[in-house]
Amino acid sequence: MSNDYLKALIFDVDGTLADNERDGHRVAFNAAFREAGLDWEWDIPTYDRLLGVFGGKERLRHYIESFRPDFEPPADLDGFVRDLHQRKTRHYLQLLEAGAIPLRPGVERLLREARAAGLRLAVASTTTLENVTVLLGQALGEDGVAWFDVIAAGDVVANKKPAPDIYLKALEQLGLEASECLVIEDTEAGLASATTAGLTTVITVNGATRNQDFSGAALVVDQLGEPGRPFEVLAGDAHGGTLVDVALLRRIHAEKHGTAYIVFFQGKAPV
Ligand code: XBP
């Protein structure tokens, strides 16, 4: 039994902080295809299937290999994919900068509460680093990025989710043990990644992930919840709570790690 107190929250980004896959990343991929003179168009059902492959470059390559037997790949396939992905990232950043991609309900509330309670914040995401920093700056204001001690993102690891690498990287950069952190995720692959890294995980589903298998998650909800807009509990024990807040996360963590559950002075863990 461990005696570790909860010290940090690690957030996935796409689908968790923002519901940005279908109306953000997908739209940007399609704009890149048009710009490159390709007649490819990813509709929502196609994109939902492609979401099984994490990482934009990996997803493009999978699409070419598995969905476009008609396509004559160029000799430099890596360069072709890289160019297409750079175009996609430019279009995605434009959407972010236009304010087209807001945070999901309860996200900003939880981030603010966690900071006030002395918890450290981190990101572990498959997406390109700039996609994360621009989203945070746009949604939380100029110092939004500085709220996070660690932003582990994109190609800094060789193996993307469901491999545990990005969560292990975030833990290494935080200098913390898995037992001192909790993860917020939205996908089965993200859950597998965090769980293999030894982390306890709360799932906040979205339209594309609601029917995935989340056995092994500590709690599964439809959104983090706001006052007056309670979450729906899809699996697990919410301990009578109506939103994901620091008190509920401490309770879940304490239960999982066997830490004596005490009333923290002003919500802060003892040092
Ligand atoms: C989700 C992803 C990302 C984005 C695309 O990652 O798979 O690939 O769809 O991002 P996570 P890039 O849930 O870990 O945030 O095109 O920048 O790779």
Side-chain angles (χ1 to χ4, degrees):
M1 218 187 243
S2 135
N3 274 322
D4 296 318
Y5 291 101
L6 178 61
K7 295 188 180 126
L9 302 181
I10 310 177
F11 289 84
D12 167 55
V13 175
D14 296 315
T16 298
L17 295 186
D19 204 350
N20 56 358
E21 286 290 6
R22 290 172 172 176
D23 300 328
H25 287 291
R26 183 185 69 91
V27 171
F29 278 114
N30 285 332
F33 299 153
R34 280 194 299 277
E35 190 180 270
L38 296 160
D39 66 351
W40 304 347
E41 173 81 25
W42 290 355
D43 59 16
I44 287 175
T46 304
Y47 192 67
D48 284 356
R49 286 174 65 195
L50 290 168
L51 280 174
V53 177
F54 274 61
K57 292 187 285 297
E58 291 79 356
R59 193 169 299 147
L60 283 168
R61 187 179 269 277
H62 172 74
Y63 177 72
I64 291 166
E65 287 165 359
S66 306
F67 286 64
R68 304 295 323 195
D70 55 317
F71 182 66
E72 187 74 46
D76 180 13
L77 183 58
D78 281 349
F80 175 79
V81 166
R82 215 170 27 246
D83 170 72
L84 213 42
H85 188 254
Q86 275 167 3
R87 292 173 192 266
K88 176 261 169 177
T89 299
R90 192 161 30 78
H91 286 288
Y92 181 72
L93 291 173
Q94 280 167 9
L95 286 172
L96 281 177
E97 275 152 10
I101 302 177
L103 297 181
R104 294 186 64 191
V107 169
E108 183 171 349
R109 171 193 56 73
L110 177 59
L111 294 174
R112 287 185 184 281
E113 281 179 19
R115 271 162 58 79
L119 292 177
R120 297 169 66 197
L121 301 177
V123 155
S125 169
T126 303
T127 202
T128 305
L129 176 63
E130 211 183 348
N131 294 352
V132 182
T133 55
V134 174
L135 172 72
L136 296 176
Q138 186 70 31
L140 301 171
E142 250 172 50
D143 66 339
V145 175
W147 291 15
F148 292 78
D149 283 359
V150 167
I151 298 181
D155 296 329
V156 292
V157 291
N159 304 305
K160 295 190 171 169
K161 299 174 187 176
D165 303 30
I166 198 72
Y167 279 103
L168 293 172
K169 177 64 111 186
L171 287 172
E172 179 194 312
Q173 292 183 349
L174 281 166
L176 293 176
E177 300 293 327
S179 57
E180 297 172 305
C181 304
L182 270 186
V183 166
I184 316 288
E185 263 284 358
D186 72 310
T187 63
E188 185 178 345
L191 172 64
S193 172
T195 305
T196 309
L199 288 149
T200 301
T201 304
V202 169
I203 298 288
T204 169
V205 300
N206 56 59
T209 70
R210 196 178 174 105
N211 296 321
Q212 294 182 356
D213 179 2
F214 293 117
S215 35
L219 178 67
V220 184
V221 292
D222 68 331
Q223 36 115 11
L224 297 180
E226 294 279 20
R229 183 181 173 172
F231 55 40
E232 180 192 347
V233 178
L234 305 175
D237 186 356
H239 301 279
T242 58
L243 41 77
V244 175
D245 57 11
V246 171
L248 175 57
L249 293 178
R250 284 204 197 284
R251 182 105 190 243
I252 288 170
H253 179 268
E255 204 168 64
K256 184 83 182 174
H257 295 284
T259 313
Y261 191 59
I262 59 170
V263 178
F264 296 117
F265 178 62
Q266 290 185 335
K268 290 192 173 140
V271 279

